Amino acid sequence: EFEEARKWVVNDLVFDKNVDVNLFESTIRILGGLLSTYHLSGDSLFLEKAKDIGNRLMPAFKTPSKIPYSDVNIGRGTAHPPRWTSDSTVAEVTSIQLEFRELSRLTGDEKFQKAVDEVMKHVHTLSGKNDGLVPMFINTNSGQFTHLGVYTLGARADSYYEYLLKQWIQGGKKENELLEDYMRAIEGVKKHLLQRSQPKKLTFVGELAHGHFSAKMDHLVCFLPGTLALGAHNGLTADHMKLAEALIETCYQMYAQVETGLSPEIVHFNLHAQKGHKDVEIKPADRHNLLRPETVESLFYMYRFTGDKKYQDWGWEILQNFNKYTRVPTGGYTSINNVQNPSNPEPRDKMESFFLGETLKYMFLLFSDDIDLINLDKYVFNTEAHPLPIWVPA
Ligand code: DMJ
């Protein structure tokens, strides 16, 4: 299968195309995937392709503030923000660093690393944060945060926090500003976003909008227990591990308390006990499941670091439910519209690439006891589950 895929890369993976792509998605999926494949196979073909796409994405950084635009035309070498705004998403501009830094290290060409390091340095000094928590948008002209006052660990901010820790690990734990920003942010989460639900007293991460707390949590936030556990494994405070243990239980309950045993895209937690109510409430617009990886990803980290078999059991349960409700008899899996209806979950006929790239890969790793199957002291996973080497392994 690998040889077949390699042939496709040789013959059909051509980037000289007049097409607009999203900088972040192309970096984490295509550039990250190629770099990772280069490391795992040693085949220079993949590095050549990585260089090609890396160069084609660089025009995104030609902005007045050097905060990249969201979209690049990889054939024409032009870049622009989305049609309706000159803002970029904070998570997007701060979650391309692992890949571009690695590309510089491998090619000896500093320009990739310089461009992404500059973004991090700029964001480090920026005002508008709330105890280390960042807003969701940043303007490509002024370089300032916009839509101030809204803080989430979910969509549009999530992987900012993940990449602070992972860049610090990638670079051999020397870049103190990254660690400072990460530690401050986790304190910010504890101070502003953590609450406990009723009746099970599950610890969850909500959102803050102009001083008002909302008990809303995206499934995307479930990357956090895994990231906290990874930090604790790398010598950060044991408190982070305690929080990881509480949060992964919550993420599991986001599956277990639902009729199909699959999590919706977004849940709201009950803050007050009411007879007959569970912790997790689901709004009609939020009851789809896109085969997302975050909970399984965190289960993998938790199992690797604790050896507690309950994490494997929870992952196995989730896999059975993916098989039951999302598997397509003629091949593949699909997103579904309604996790609350076991008799008709409403298949969408769409399988996101992260189901293969992340969800199944993390399942595979979760069910293995071999710590050398991607040793976490030698590799760091990018946010699309592509392992990249740690520059100075422990
Ligand atoms: C993936 O593309 C990445 O994990 C990203 O950081 C968040 N969204 C999807 C998976 O849910």
Side-chain angles (χ1 to χ4, degrees), residues 24-25 28-29 158-159 220 292-294 354 358 383-384:
F24 162 73
E25 299 291 0
I28 65 172
R29 299 180 196 222
D158 49 358
S159 44
L220 288 168
R292 286 199 191 275
E294 291 76 17
F354 52 67
E358 298 197 66
T383 193
E384 199 68 12

Side-chain angles (χ1 to χ4, degrees), residues 350-388:
K350 182 173 183 183
M351 187 176 83
E352 297 282 349
S353 74
F354 52 67
F355 183 65
L356 298 175
E358 298 197 66
T359 313
L360 291 185
K361 188 186 290 164
Y362 284 128
M363 289 271 188
F364 182 77
L365 291 166
L366 168 64
F367 301 136
S368 166
D369 280 316
D370 180 1
I371 64 152
D372 283 322
L373 193 59
I374 310 298
N375 186 316
L376 291 173
D377 295 321
K378 296 192 180 132
Y379 289 95
V380 60
F381 282 96
N382 86 339
T383 193
E384 199 68 12
H386 299 305
L388 297 173

